[in-house]
């Protein structure tokens, strides 16, 4: 996803919004995983905070905080 996207004057389409949201969510997950991998507690907490804000703004969507919590659980044998 490019850092800058041109949005028509009548607003973004639902497809554009979905792509933007998916890109933001993927970025938060990537930041979280990088922070966990490097032991960066502040980075991990920041990703969790951003996930909580995203969840607040999209109460009907999938919970990003739950996705991050699932990533920190060891795989079941």
């Amino acid at each position: 996803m490019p850092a800058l996207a041109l949005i028509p004057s009548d607003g973004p389409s639902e497809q554009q919004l979905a792509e933007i949201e998916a890109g933001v969510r993927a970025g938060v997950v990537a930041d979280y995983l990088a922070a966990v991998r490097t032991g960066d507690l502040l980075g991990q907490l920041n990703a969790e905070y951003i996930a909580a804000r995203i969840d607040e703004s999209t109460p009907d969507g999938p919970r990003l905080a739950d996705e991050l919590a699932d990533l920190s659980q060891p795989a079941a044998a």
Side-chain angles (χ1 to χ4, degrees), residues 21-67:
E21 182 180 353
V24 169
R25 293 173 71 88
V28 172
V29 169
D31 290 348
Y32 178 82
L33 291 174
V36 169
R37 185 174 47 255
T38 61
D40 177 7
L41 182 58
L42 187 57
Q44 182 178 345
L45 292 172
N46 183 56
E48 291 171 354
Y49 176 81
I50 292 170
R53 301 297 73 79
I54 289 171
D55 290 344
E56 286 177 2
S57 69
T58 56
D60 297 332
R63 294 191 32 83
L64 186 54
D66 291 344
E67 293 179 35

Side-chain angles (χ1 to χ4, degrees), residues 1-2 7-8 11 14-15 21-23 26 31 38 65-66 69 72 77:
M1 181 70 181
I7 298 177
E14 287 192 35
Q15 177 65 31
E21 182 180 353
D31 290 348
T38 61
D66 291 344
S72 64

Side-chain angles (χ1 to χ4, degrees), residues 4-15:
L4 178 64
L6 296 177
I7 298 177
S9 62
D10 61 345
S13 69
E14 287 192 35
Q15 177 65 31

